[in-house]
Amino acid sequence: MSRYEQGIEKFREIKGEGAEKSLERLKSLSPDLTRYIMEFAFNDIYSRPGLDLRSREIATIAALTALGNAAQQIKVHTICALNVGVTKEEITEVILQMALYAGFPAAINAMQAVKEAFEEYDKQNPGSIKQAGGIDIHKKKAISA
Amino acid sequence: MSRYEQGIEKFREIKGEGAEKSLERLKSLSPDLTRYIMEFAFNDIYSRPGLDLRSREIATIAALTALGNAAQQIKVHTICALNVGVTKEEITEVILQMALYAGFPAAINAMQAVKEAFEEYDKQNPGSIKQAGGIDIHKKKAISA
Amino acid sequence: MSRYEQGIEKFREIKGEGAEKSLERLKSLSPDLTRYIMEFAFNDIYSRPGLDLRSREIATIAALTALGNAAQQIKVHTICALNVGVTKEEITEVILQMALYAGFPAAINAMQAVKEAFEEYDKQNPGSIKQAGGIDIHKKKAISA
Amino acid sequence: MSRYEQGIEKFREIKGEGAEKSLERLKSLSPDLTRYIMEFAFNDIYSRPGLDLRSREIATIAALTALGNAAQQIKVHTICALNVGVTKEEITEVILQMALYAGFPAAINAMQAVKEAFEEYDKQNPGSIKQAGGIDIHKKKAISA
Amino acid sequence: MSRYEQGIEKFREIKGEGAEKSLERLKSLSPDLTRYIMEFAFNDIYSRPGLDLRSREIATIAALTALGNAAQQIKVHTICALNVGVTKEEITEVILQMALYAGFPAAINAMQAVKEAFEEYDKQNPGSIKQAGGIDIHKKKAISA
Amino acid sequence: MSRYEQGIEKFREIKGEGAEKSLERLKSLSPDLTRYIMEFAFNDIYSRPGLDLRSREIATIAALTALGNAAQQIKVHTICALNVGVTKEEITEVILQMALYAGFPAAINAMQAVKEAFEEYDKQNPGSIKQAGGIDIHKKKAISA
């Protein structure tokens, strides 16, 4: 399997059901950029053993919030984070914490993107709506990740 | 206990032995700024229950790397991360991953700061030098955090 | 009165009539983030005696322009600035000056946000439409601020 | 001819047919900002002899991508770049390369803006649609620039 | 008098005694860049009537803090701010306030630069050392500015 | 030849004599980061046929200036740019132009880094000192690049 194919496989593992749609949108924008993202980001980096996927998604959401110009990417990685077992509460905590390092406007804008991603996720995963206050079935996946 | 004192206590828990020195340096710069950092950052945010300290430090190091102008703060939070049980390997993985979101220059500069913090940490914790390849005694603390 | 309540009071003083609506929108996004903004931003910082509110709003608009990713916040603080006595001309001057420090794209984008805020302000304050060329009744408030 | 008029002339040379429309939109936003952009950007800088216009537009698109908050300006300068003889392929290469220095989100967002500008350009220049794979008639202009 | 000469005159008015030294250092770096800074920044922008110099320096220090990579420029404009009548306390307040918009690391780094500039200023203006707690003789200048 | 080895070869072609030293310094910092830079940056991107190396280095210097926190990388790519035939004058023009998009502080700081790189380059290439005003022997290389 090529680096590209392995990257796509990793991306599917992280992004879940919406992976194909994200991939198609990215490819329609630029096949080359898509290839590098799958090869370098998802095959080379996200597949490295030294850090679990939960922590990787937490790091990514923190960084995207700090960058301040990546609302679309925050949405994508909020879904990814939920899929690998980060809870809604934990994602919200990361955004709140970013107020300390990137200021309130960056935190407000990221919170808006996260909220939209939560709504999209709930629509596609009706059974998980009660996650915030109840049992997080996704968390189990994370432990083995 | 005041919010300020509780913040300092949390900061000591996270920063470990070097906390007093950091605190003194910050206070000599600005007592007011120090107060807000202890009150808002360490009492209000870092003490919130929704996210463990390991994940908080991972998020912070990711954000500081993405900001690109916070070498001194990366050093401080590398020590904090090690103290709450993030391993050197995990910190290094976070920096590598940031190349995807903030580019190679930001990753290179952060890696330089992290490396200097590792050396400082090893000097002050002679017993932990073998951490990367051996048993991480700090990790236990993190599980209960 | 709690820090939160005092922060809201300060926010109302600065934001004027639109304060409730801003507050509701922010709370629907995140009650915790709203609380920290009211407590830390408006109670702790904006209530400090060492700098008048006119200067504080000028500083904020300058910073938001330089950050380059805070159009919504520029709109909010343009209204705040007008409310505490900064004139439209002065706000426009701040944006123009930012071309020197953050470049033309940041200045153009901020000017767009400011213009939209001016239009919204004029709609809600019909009597103040002639401000730019006439007598600025808000300025009096600023002197005593 | 004043610096302002000379700047406008340079801007027309670079921006081509769409120059008037861009100029009107900018002037409706702020006549002063427009004046400084024409005087300082287009008369003082873009008219300097030490660097050809092709290279200047490549540098500008690279910088706007790295800044990460200038989608509208990327669109304008994509048209400018095409007009002075940079090919679509070259513009795309600049964006891809920016993934190295500003990260993938900045590259994705810039690619989106560039794609929209290409579509707008093709609509206004029906004869140039085959540029990517065929002969680039604009390149000739660039050699004499 | 040329735009360049008028810009230098304005710069001298704002920067005070240290103007020549700043100018020489800048010219040794790039005569062209120096020319544009004097012409565009100090002649075109800082000489505009719509905003007093005190407010201009407050806006600049706020923006430089938010940019996060301009320690040397913060030092220069701290001296400028003191010269046009902004007090040390007011400058410190601007930096504190920036924690809200650009985060704590940006505020800490700016505070360090400001502190160094204060020390330099006190060395060159022995009579003004007591400014923070006493009578601010510079403020009078600002009123007429 | 592996992607890593091909990347190193490309890096040597671009960086010239100083390549080994840069490579060693980078490897001592992080072998993994070095590998990704050689594989992704120099093998995947800089080796793509769609944009000549002269334009690639111009784009990189523009982006690094706009990022504002990459002085060390500006120095490296100034040497790279000179090696692939960009003249000192052209590099200086790129920095001047960046004042338009990233503001004067970013341009001043980049100019400082470029000046230091020029001095280092002249020390190692005594015959090229007269480049700015004379014949640029490097330019020939660029044409065939």
Side-chain angles (χ1 to χ4, degrees), chain D residues 40-41 45-46 48 50-51 56 58-60 62-63 67 77 89-90 93-94 96-98 100-101 104, chain F residues 40-41 45-46 48 50-51 55-56 58-60 62-63 67 77 89-90 93-94 96-98 100-101 104:
Chain D
F40 179 40
I45 300 290
Y46 278 86
R48 291 174 62 97
L51 188 68
R56 289 199 183 277
I58 284 169
T60 296
L67 287 171
H77 281 281
E89 188 187 6
E90 288 173 321
E93 288 296 323
V94 170
L96 283 176
Q97 187 172 323
M98 288 306 105
L100 307 175
Y101 301 106
F104 284 118
Chain F
F40 179 41
I45 300 290
Y46 278 85
R48 289 174 64 97
L51 188 68
S55 298
R56 289 201 183 276
I58 283 169
T60 296
L67 288 171
H77 281 281
E89 187 187 6
E90 287 173 321
E93 288 296 323
V94 171
L96 282 176
Q97 187 172 322
M98 288 306 104
L100 306 175
Y101 301 106
F104 284 117

Tab-separated table of all heavy atoms in Angstrom, chain D residues 40-41 45-46 48 50-51 56 58-60 62-63 67 77 89-90 93-94 96-98 100-101 104, chain F residues 40-41 45-46 48 50-51 55-56 58-60 62-63 67 77 89-90 93-94 96-98 100-101 104:
chain	number	residue	atom	x	y	z
D	40	PHE	N	1.860	54.622	-2.062
D	40	PHE	CA	2.990	53.894	-1.461
D	40	PHE	C	3.166	52.512	-2.111
D	40	PHE	O	4.271	52.156	-2.536
D	40	PHE	CB	2.783	53.769	0.057
D	40	PHE	CG	3.875	53.018	0.769
D	40	PHE	CD1	5.220	53.194	0.421
D	40	PHE	CD2	3.570	52.130	1.801
D	40	PHE	CE1	6.226	52.490	1.081
D	40	PHE	CE2	4.571	51.432	2.459
D	40	PHE	CZ	5.904	51.615	2.095
D	41	ALA	N	2.056	51.741	-2.213
D	41	ALA	CA	2.191	50.384	-2.755
D	41	ALA	C	2.523	50.424	-4.251
D	41	ALA	O	3.547	49.901	-4.685
D	41	ALA	CB	0.918	49.579	-2.504
D	45	ILE	N	6.494	51.327	-4.450
D	45	ILE	CA	7.097	49.979	-4.378
D	45	ILE	C	6.994	49.214	-5.698
D	45	ILE	O	8.007	48.795	-6.260
D	45	ILE	CB	6.456	49.159	-3.232
D	45	ILE	CG1	6.664	49.856	-1.868
D	45	ILE	CG2	7.016	47.737	-3.207
D	45	ILE	CD1	8.072	49.856	-1.345
D	46	TYR	N	5.778	49.012	-6.194
D	46	TYR	CA	5.640	48.176	-7.400
D	46	TYR	C	6.306	48.789	-8.635
D	46	TYR	O	6.535	48.092	-9.622
D	46	TYR	CB	4.159	47.880	-7.692
D	46	TYR	CG	3.600	46.728	-6.883
D	46	TYR	CD1	3.096	46.920	-5.605
D	46	TYR	CD2	3.602	45.432	-7.399
D	46	TYR	CE1	2.582	45.863	-4.866
D	46	TYR	CE2	3.105	44.366	-6.673
D	46	TYR	CZ	2.591	44.587	-5.406
D	46	TYR	OH	2.099	43.536	-4.679
D	48	ARG	N	9.324	50.195	-8.542
D	48	ARG	CA	10.782	50.141	-8.389
D	48	ARG	C	11.375	49.193	-9.435
D	48	ARG	O	10.801	48.145	-9.719
D	48	ARG	CB	11.161	49.673	-6.986
D	48	ARG	CG	10.829	50.707	-5.908
D	48	ARG	CD	11.090	50.128	-4.526
D	48	ARG	NE	12.478	49.778	-4.358
D	48	ARG	CZ	13.392	50.555	-3.762
D	48	ARG	NH1	13.034	51.717	-3.249
D	48	ARG	NH2	14.649	50.166	-3.663
D	50	GLY	N	14.111	47.245	-9.356
D	50	GLY	CA	14.959	46.125	-8.943
D	50	GLY	C	14.359	44.734	-8.983
D	50	GLY	O	15.074	43.749	-8.746
D	51	LEU	N	13.060	44.607	-9.215
D	51	LEU	CA	12.432	43.278	-9.212
D	51	LEU	C	11.286	43.297	-10.221
D	51	LEU	O	10.466	44.222	-10.205
D	51	LEU	CB	11.901	42.957	-7.804
D	51	LEU	CG	11.368	41.544	-7.546
D	51	LEU	CD1	12.492	40.509	-7.601
D	51	LEU	CD2	10.683	41.487	-6.179
D	56	ARG	N	7.340	40.045	-8.175
D	56	ARG	CA	6.610	40.808	-7.148
D	56	ARG	C	5.273	40.142	-6.832
D	56	ARG	O	4.874	40.034	-5.671
D	56	ARG	CB	6.372	42.260	-7.593
D	56	ARG	CG	7.651	43.097	-7.600
D	56	ARG	CD	7.375	44.594	-7.591
D	56	ARG	NE	8.611	45.348	-7.664
D	56	ARG	CZ	9.388	45.634	-6.609
D	56	ARG	NH1	9.028	45.236	-5.416
D	56	ARG	NH2	10.515	46.314	-6.761
D	58	ILE	N	4.484	36.971	-7.275
D	58	ILE	CA	4.770	35.697	-6.595
D	58	ILE	C	5.040	35.946	-5.116
D	58	ILE	O	4.522	35.244	-4.249
D	58	ILE	CB	5.952	34.975	-7.296
D	58	ILE	CG1	5.451	34.345	-8.601
D	58	ILE	CG2	6.596	33.934	-6.385
D	58	ILE	CD1	6.549	33.841	-9.519
D	59	ALA	N	5.843	36.970	-4.824
D	59	ALA	CA	6.147	37.306	-3.430
D	59	ALA	C	4.878	37.700	-2.668
D	59	ALA	O	4.670	37.293	-1.524
D	59	ALA	CB	7.167	38.449	-3.378
D	60	THR	N	4.019	38.465	-3.318
D	60	THR	CA	2.802	38.930	-2.657
D	60	THR	C	1.853	37.770	-2.349
D	60	THR	O	1.303	37.676	-1.242
D	60	THR	CB	2.091	39.991	-3.534
D	60	THR	OG1	2.949	41.122	-3.637
D	60	THR	CG2	0.767	40.412	-2.925
D	62	ALA	N	2.640	34.665	-1.960
D	62	ALA	CA	3.258	33.877	-0.878
D	62	ALA	C	2.987	34.522	0.478
D	62	ALA	O	2.573	33.859	1.431
D	62	ALA	CB	4.761	33.754	-1.118
D	63	ALA	N	3.203	35.833	0.550
D	63	ALA	CA	3.019	36.538	1.825
D	63	ALA	C	1.562	36.510	2.277
D	63	ALA	O	1.265	36.272	3.448
D	63	ALA	CB	3.503	37.980	1.697
D	67	LEU	N	0.117	35.052	5.733
D	67	LEU	CA	-0.622	35.869	6.701
D	67	LEU	C	-1.903	35.158	7.147
D	67	LEU	O	-2.314	35.261	8.299
D	67	LEU	CB	-0.975	37.242	6.105
D	67	LEU	CG	0.193	38.203	5.960
D	67	LEU	CD1	-0.237	39.429	5.165
D	67	LEU	CD2	0.738	38.633	7.325
D	77	HIS	N	-4.721	39.591	-6.108
D	77	HIS	CA	-3.356	39.408	-6.608
D	77	HIS	C	-3.196	38.167	-7.485
D	77	HIS	O	-2.223	38.070	-8.232
D	77	HIS	CB	-2.353	39.432	-5.452
D	77	HIS	CG	-2.071	40.837	-5.003
D	77	HIS	ND1	-1.207	41.671	-5.672
D	77	HIS	CD2	-2.591	41.585	-3.996
D	77	HIS	CE1	-1.182	42.850	-5.091
D	77	HIS	NE2	-2.017	42.838	-4.064
D	89	GLU	N	-0.319	27.461	-13.170
D	89	GLU	CA	0.484	26.397	-12.550
D	89	GLU	C	1.466	26.991	-11.536
D	89	GLU	O	1.643	26.464	-10.443
D	89	GLU	CB	1.227	25.623	-13.640
D	89	GLU	CG	1.931	24.383	-13.091
D	89	GLU	CD	2.820	23.714	-14.136
D	89	GLU	OE1	2.972	24.271	-15.239
D	89	GLU	OE2	3.367	22.644	-13.825
D	90	GLU	N	2.094	28.098	-11.911
D	90	GLU	CA	3.059	28.719	-10.997
D	90	GLU	C	2.380	29.231	-9.721
D	90	GLU	O	2.911	29.085	-8.621
D	90	GLU	CB	3.794	29.857	-11.711
D	90	GLU	CG	4.790	29.350	-12.752
D	90	GLU	CD	5.402	30.460	-13.588
D	90	GLU	OE1	4.678	31.422	-13.956
D	90	GLU	OE2	6.597	30.387	-13.905
D	93	GLU	N	1.715	26.366	-7.552
D	93	GLU	CA	2.951	25.898	-6.920
D	93	GLU	C	3.322	26.758	-5.699
D	93	GLU	O	3.788	26.241	-4.683
D	93	GLU	CB	4.113	25.911	-7.920
D	93	GLU	CG	4.042	24.828	-8.984
D	93	GLU	CD	4.145	23.421	-8.405
D	93	GLU	OE1	4.899	23.223	-7.445
D	93	GLU	OE2	3.453	22.518	-8.913
D	94	VAL	N	3.115	28.059	-5.827
D	94	VAL	CA	3.427	28.945	-4.690
D	94	VAL	C	2.570	28.558	-3.483
D	94	VAL	O	3.069	28.439	-2.357
D	94	VAL	CB	3.203	30.433	-5.058
D	94	VAL	CG1	3.296	31.319	-3.823
D	94	VAL	CG2	4.224	30.879	-6.098
D	96	LEU	N	1.097	25.628	-2.836
D	96	LEU	CA	1.552	24.327	-2.321
D	96	LEU	C	2.792	24.502	-1.442
D	96	LEU	O	2.902	23.922	-0.371
D	96	LEU	CB	1.908	23.385	-3.477
D	96	LEU	CG	0.758	22.724	-4.236
D	96	LEU	CD1	1.306	21.915	-5.408
D	96	LEU	CD2	-0.045	21.808	-3.308
D	97	GLN	N	3.724	25.321	-1.931
D	97	GLN	CA	4.974	25.526	-1.198
D	97	GLN	C	4.720	26.171	0.168
D	97	GLN	O	5.445	25.920	1.129
D	97	GLN	CB	5.916	26.396	-2.044
D	97	GLN	CG	7.308	26.540	-1.462
D	97	GLN	CD	8.241	27.249	-2.427
D	97	GLN	OE1	8.175	27.058	-3.634
D	97	GLN	NE2	9.103	28.096	-1.888
D	98	MET	N	3.700	26.983	0.264
D	98	MET	CA	3.408	27.664	1.530
D	98	MET	C	2.996	26.689	2.637
D	98	MET	O	3.088	27.024	3.818
D	98	MET	CB	2.334	28.733	1.333
D	98	MET	CG	2.826	29.950	0.570
D	98	MET	SD	4.319	30.699	1.314
D	98	MET	CE	5.608	30.160	0.160
D	100	LEU	N	4.668	24.400	3.590
D	100	LEU	CA	5.914	24.200	4.346
D	100	LEU	C	6.147	25.275	5.394
D	100	LEU	O	6.746	25.015	6.437
D	100	LEU	CB	7.114	24.222	3.400
D	100	LEU	CG	7.109	23.290	2.188
D	100	LEU	CD1	8.344	23.566	1.336
D	100	LEU	CD2	7.092	21.848	2.648
D	101	TYR	N	5.724	26.486	5.093
D	101	TYR	CA	6.098	27.609	5.956
D	101	TYR	C	4.947	28.108	6.811
D	101	TYR	O	5.182	28.650	7.887
D	101	TYR	CB	6.684	28.747	5.098
D	101	TYR	CG	7.892	28.246	4.353
D	101	TYR	CD1	7.862	27.981	2.991
D	101	TYR	CD2	9.046	27.930	5.059
D	101	TYR	CE1	8.959	27.452	2.339
D	101	TYR	CE2	10.151	27.397	4.418
D	101	TYR	CZ	10.096	27.149	3.063
D	101	TYR	OH	11.177	26.605	2.428
D	104	PHE	N	-0.717	23.539	6.599
D	104	PHE	CA	-1.750	23.126	5.642
D	104	PHE	C	-3.017	23.987	5.691
D	104	PHE	O	-3.582	24.280	4.630
D	104	PHE	CB	-2.101	21.644	5.845
D	104	PHE	CG	-1.067	20.706	5.300
D	104	PHE	CD1	-0.382	19.835	6.116
D	104	PHE	CD2	-0.758	20.703	3.939
D	104	PHE	CE1	0.584	18.974	5.602
D	104	PHE	CE2	0.196	19.847	3.402
D	104	PHE	CZ	0.877	18.976	4.254
F	40	PHE	N	9.731	16.033	2.579
F	40	PHE	CA	8.548	16.772	2.123
F	40	PHE	C	8.934	18.113	1.473
F	40	PHE	O	8.509	18.420	0.361
F	40	PHE	CB	7.573	16.972	3.286
F	40	PHE	CG	6.326	17.738	2.925
F	40	PHE	CD1	5.669	17.519	1.715
F	40	PHE	CD2	5.788	18.676	3.799
F	40	PHE	CE1	4.503	18.226	1.382
F	40	PHE	CE2	4.634	19.382	3.471
F	40	PHE	CZ	4.005	19.157	2.259
F	41	ALA	N	9.782	18.890	2.188
F	41	ALA	CA	10.111	20.211	1.650
F	41	ALA	C	10.988	20.087	0.396
F	41	ALA	O	10.620	20.559	-0.678
F	41	ALA	CB	10.796	21.067	2.709
F	45	ILE	N	8.410	19.090	-2.624
F	45	ILE	CA	7.981	20.424	-3.083
F	45	ILE	C	9.043	21.132	-3.944
F	45	ILE	O	8.776	21.494	-5.085
F	45	ILE	CB	7.597	21.318	-1.881
F	45	ILE	CG1	6.437	20.694	-1.082
F	45	ILE	CG2	7.253	22.735	-2.346
F	45	ILE	CD1	5.089	20.692	-1.758
F	46	TYR	N	10.247	21.340	-3.384
F	46	TYR	CA	11.251	22.110	-4.139
F	46	TYR	C	11.684	21.422	-5.432
F	46	TYR	O	12.268	22.063	-6.307
F	46	TYR	CB	12.469	22.418	-3.261
F	46	TYR	CG	12.281	23.626	-2.364
F	46	TYR	CD1	11.669	23.514	-1.120
F	46	TYR	CD2	12.688	24.893	-2.779
F	46	TYR	CE1	11.482	24.620	-0.301
F	46	TYR	CE2	12.511	26.007	-1.970
F	46	TYR	CZ	11.908	25.872	-0.729
F	46	TYR	OH	11.727	26.971	0.066
F	48	ARG	N	9.539	19.957	-7.519
F	48	ARG	CA	8.448	19.978	-8.487
F	48	ARG	C	8.835	20.864	-9.675
F	48	ARG	O	9.445	21.916	-9.495
F	48	ARG	CB	7.170	20.527	-7.838
F	48	ARG	CG	6.559	19.554	-6.837
F	48	ARG	CD	5.393	20.209	-6.125
F	48	ARG	NE	4.330	20.519	-7.043
F	48	ARG	CZ	3.263	19.753	-7.255
F	48	ARG	NH1	3.108	18.640	-6.578
F	48	ARG	NH2	2.355	20.093	-8.131
F	50	GLY	N	6.960	22.751	-11.734
F	50	GLY	CA	6.108	23.866	-12.141
F	50	GLY	C	6.556	25.269	-11.780
F	50	GLY	O	5.928	26.258	-12.197
F	51	LEU	N	7.621	25.419	-10.996
F	51	LEU	CA	8.080	26.765	-10.608
F	51	LEU	C	9.599	26.712	-10.446
F	51	LEU	O	10.121	25.813	-9.776
F	51	LEU	CB	7.407	27.181	-9.284
F	51	LEU	CG	7.602	28.614	-8.794
F	51	LEU	CD1	6.897	29.609	-9.706
F	51	LEU	CD2	7.065	28.771	-7.359
F	55	SER	N	12.111	31.639	-8.289
F	55	SER	CA	10.787	32.064	-7.828
F	55	SER	C	10.449	31.413	-6.493
F	55	SER	O	9.826	32.041	-5.626
F	55	SER	CB	9.724	31.700	-8.872
F	55	SER	OG	9.977	32.378	-10.081
F	56	ARG	N	10.836	30.146	-6.330
F	56	ARG	CA	10.559	29.470	-5.052
F	56	ARG	C	11.248	30.184	-3.883
F	56	ARG	O	10.663	30.361	-2.823
F	56	ARG	CB	11.022	28.006	-5.111
F	56	ARG	CG	10.147	27.138	-6.018
F	56	ARG	CD	10.274	25.654	-5.703
F	56	ARG	NE	9.484	24.860	-6.642
F	56	ARG	CZ	8.178	24.611	-6.501
F	56	ARG	NH1	7.527	25.075	-5.452
F	56	ARG	NH2	7.517	23.901	-7.396
F	58	ILE	N	12.182	33.331	-3.774
F	58	ILE	CA	11.526	34.640	-3.593
F	58	ILE	C	10.238	34.464	-2.781
F	58	ILE	O	9.968	35.226	-1.836
F	58	ILE	CB	11.252	35.293	-4.976
F	58	ILE	CG1	12.565	35.867	-5.524
F	58	ILE	CG2	10.166	36.367	-4.887
F	58	ILE	CD1	12.506	36.301	-6.984
F	59	ALA	N	9.465	33.439	-3.121
F	59	ALA	CA	8.224	33.165	-2.382
F	59	ALA	C	8.520	32.848	-0.921
F	59	ALA	O	7.824	33.320	-0.012
F	59	ALA	CB	7.468	32.007	-3.034
F	60	THR	N	9.552	32.060	-0.689
F	60	THR	CA	9.882	31.661	0.681
F	60	THR	C	10.327	32.861	1.519
F	60	THR	O	9.884	33.018	2.667
F	60	THR	CB	10.986	30.581	0.669
F	60	THR	OG1	10.457	29.419	0.018
F	60	THR	CG2	11.424	30.220	2.076
F	62	ALA	N	9.572	35.958	1.052
F	62	ALA	CA	8.382	36.785	1.288
F	62	ALA	C	7.550	36.210	2.436
F	62	ALA	O	7.143	36.931	3.351
F	62	ALA	CB	7.537	36.863	0.020
F	63	ALA	N	7.319	34.915	2.403
F	63	ALA	CA	6.494	34.279	3.430
F	63	ALA	C	7.155	34.355	4.806
F	63	ALA	O	6.491	34.660	5.801
F	63	ALA	CB	6.238	32.820	3.064
F	67	LEU	N	5.608	36.022	8.121
F	67	LEU	CA	5.389	35.270	9.364
F	67	LEU	C	5.943	36.036	10.571
F	67	LEU	O	5.373	35.988	11.654
F	67	LEU	CB	6.039	33.888	9.289
F	67	LEU	CG	5.341	32.888	8.365
F	67	LEU	CD1	6.186	31.628	8.207
F	67	LEU	CD2	3.957	32.515	8.925
F	77	HIS	N	17.504	30.991	3.918
F	77	HIS	CA	16.951	31.111	2.565
F	77	HIS	C	17.522	32.306	1.792
F	77	HIS	O	17.398	32.356	0.571
F	77	HIS	CB	15.424	31.123	2.609
F	77	HIS	CG	14.871	29.743	2.773
F	77	HIS	ND1	14.770	28.858	1.725
F	77	HIS	CD2	14.462	29.055	3.860
F	77	HIS	CE1	14.290	27.700	2.161
F	77	HIS	NE2	14.091	27.790	3.455
F	89	GLU	N	19.985	42.627	-4.709
F	89	GLU	CA	19.014	43.701	-4.933
F	89	GLU	C	17.588	43.130	-4.939
F	89	GLU	O	16.670	43.714	-4.366
F	89	GLU	CB	19.310	44.414	-6.259
F	89	GLU	CG	18.450	45.653	-6.463
F	89	GLU	CD	18.636	46.265	-7.850
F	89	GLU	OE1	19.349	45.663	-8.685
F	89	GLU	OE2	18.046	47.332	-8.091
F	90	GLU	N	17.416	42.002	-5.602
F	90	GLU	CA	16.075	41.412	-5.667
F	90	GLU	C	15.587	40.979	-4.280
F	90	GLU	O	14.415	41.171	-3.935
F	90	GLU	CB	16.072	40.219	-6.630
F	90	GLU	CG	16.166	40.638	-8.097
F	90	GLU	CD	16.335	39.460	-9.046
F	90	GLU	OE1	17.076	38.509	-8.699
F	90	GLU	OE2	15.748	39.497	-10.136
F	93	GLU	N	14.510	43.972	-2.479
F	93	GLU	CA	13.209	44.441	-2.985
F	93	GLU	C	12.038	43.650	-2.378
F	93	GLU	O	10.983	44.206	-2.076
F	93	GLU	CB	13.160	44.341	-4.516
F	93	GLU	CG	14.017	45.370	-5.238
F	93	GLU	CD	13.542	46.797	-4.995
F	93	GLU	OE1	12.324	47.019	-4.921
F	93	GLU	OE2	14.408	47.688	-4.865
F	94	VAL	N	12.234	42.329	-2.251
F	94	VAL	CA	11.169	41.504	-1.659
F	94	VAL	C	10.874	41.973	-0.231
F	94	VAL	O	9.712	42.137	0.152
F	94	VAL	CB	11.556	40.005	-1.672
F	94	VAL	CG1	10.558	39.183	-0.854
F	94	VAL	CG2	11.612	39.482	-3.102
F	96	LEU	N	11.463	44.958	1.129
F	96	LEU	CA	10.811	46.282	1.069
F	96	LEU	C	9.324	46.122	0.765
F	96	LEU	O	8.472	46.751	1.386
F	96	LEU	CB	11.449	47.151	-0.018
F	96	LEU	CG	12.793	47.806	0.291
F	96	LEU	CD1	13.304	48.535	-0.956
F	96	LEU	CD2	12.672	48.791	1.451
F	97	GLN	N	9.023	45.268	-0.204
F	97	GLN	CA	7.628	45.070	-0.626
F	97	GLN	C	6.784	44.503	0.526
F	97	GLN	O	5.583	44.800	0.633
F	97	GLN	CB	7.605	44.126	-1.831
F	97	GLN	CG	6.228	43.995	-2.451
F	97	GLN	CD	6.280	43.218	-3.760
F	97	GLN	OE1	7.211	43.353	-4.535
F	97	GLN	NE2	5.271	42.387	-3.982
F	98	MET	N	7.389	43.718	1.372
F	98	MET	CA	6.645	43.110	2.483
F	98	MET	C	6.129	44.142	3.479
F	98	MET	O	5.182	43.871	4.229
F	98	MET	CB	7.489	42.063	3.193
F	98	MET	CG	7.693	40.797	2.387
F	98	MET	SD	6.120	40.042	1.809
F	98	MET	CE	6.103	40.495	0.069
F	100	LEU	N	4.349	46.437	2.785
F	100	LEU	CA	2.957	46.652	2.364
F	100	LEU	C	2.000	45.626	2.963
F	100	LEU	O	0.837	45.935	3.208
F	100	LEU	CB	2.838	46.556	0.836
F	100	LEU	CG	3.740	47.427	-0.018
F	100	LEU	CD1	3.537	47.065	-1.482
F	100	LEU	CD2	3.449	48.895	0.224
F	101	TYR	N	2.486	44.413	3.129
F	101	TYR	CA	1.565	43.328	3.496
F	101	TYR	C	1.697	42.893	4.954
F	101	TYR	O	0.740	42.411	5.531
F	101	TYR	CB	1.774	42.142	2.542
F	101	TYR	CG	1.520	42.581	1.128
F	101	TYR	CD1	2.554	42.777	0.222
F	101	TYR	CD2	0.223	42.900	0.733
F	101	TYR	CE1	2.307	43.257	-1.054
F	101	TYR	CE2	-0.037	43.388	-0.545
F	101	TYR	CZ	1.003	43.557	-1.424
F	101	TYR	OH	0.755	44.051	-2.670
F	104	PHE	N	5.813	47.569	8.742
F	104	PHE	CA	7.220	47.953	8.833
F	104	PHE	C	8.031	47.126	9.830
F	104	PHE	O	9.175	46.786	9.541
F	104	PHE	CB	7.346	49.454	9.144
F	104	PHE	CG	7.068	50.327	7.957
F	104	PHE	CD1	6.002	51.216	7.939
F	104	PHE	CD2	7.879	50.263	6.833
F	104	PHE	CE1	5.748	52.025	6.833
F	104	PHE	CE2	7.634	51.069	5.712
F	104	PHE	CZ	6.565	51.949	5.713
